Amino acid sequence: VQLQASGGGLVQAGGSLRLSCVVSGRALRGYAIAWFRQAPGREREFAALISGDMTRYGDFVRDRFTVSRDSAENTVYLQMNGLKPEDTALYFCAAGPKTLKYTLARSYTYWGQGTLVTVSS
């Protein structure tokens, strides 16, 4: 299984970005797909999850992000609105078995290379 994340970039505070994660090698069905982020000097942080019909979000998201899936394209999206400078980080998508411990990075087997999101004030 390979994951390819894209869609990062530079945006002003209050702006939006849509990240994409293309999954190849296996169908999305049966996998939990999550987005994590990592800022310099900080630990990797859970942002969002889509697993079957279930979606979950990290505490910092507060209704600003939406995770979705296009099964035909084997792609998972993360729509990010109301971006803040503190959202600046490298964003990763990850795939793994469905688990209750979905906020933990170690729960995921496969990782994409990350896409950089920079939010200017």
Side-chain angles (χ1 to χ4, degrees):
V1 177
Q2 293 185 328
L3 293 85
Q4 180 75 34
S6 63
L10 174 64
V11 64
Q12 289 187 333
S16 299
L17 283 174
R18 188 177 79 157
L19 306 184
S20 300
C21 178
V22 178
V23 181
S24 60
R26 290 281 181 89
L28 287 178
R29 186 178 59 251
Y31 279 102
I33 306 294
W35 288 95
F36 284 78
R37 70 181 189 180
Q38 189 166 20
R42 302 191 66 176
E43 293 187 354
R44 200 161 291 193
E45 180 179 30
F46 171 75
L49 166 84
I50 186 163
S51 178
D53 294 330
M54 181 181 77
T55 58
R56 293 291 186 270
Y57 298 94
D59 290 340
F60 72 89
V61 170
R62 300 187 180 184
D63 298 326
R64 298 182 298 129
F65 296 0
T66 303
V67 62
S68 62
R69 175 182 60 228
D70 183 335
S71 296
E73 297 293 330
N74 239 33
T75 301
V76 171
Y77 301 100
L78 184 66
Q79 177 67 43
M80 306 188 295
N81 300 325
L83 284 164
K84 307 173 183 180
E86 51 264 43
D87 292 319
T88 294
L90 194 59
Y91 284 72
F92 299 87
C93 57
K98 297 179 181 181
T99 174
L100 293 176
K101 299 180 180 179
Y102 54 82
T103 63
L104 301 179
R106 66 174 183 264
S107 296
Y108 299 88
T109 308
Y110 306 102
W111 289 82
Q113 84 289 359
T115 184
L116 181 63
V117 172
T118 304
V119 185
S120 63
S121 57

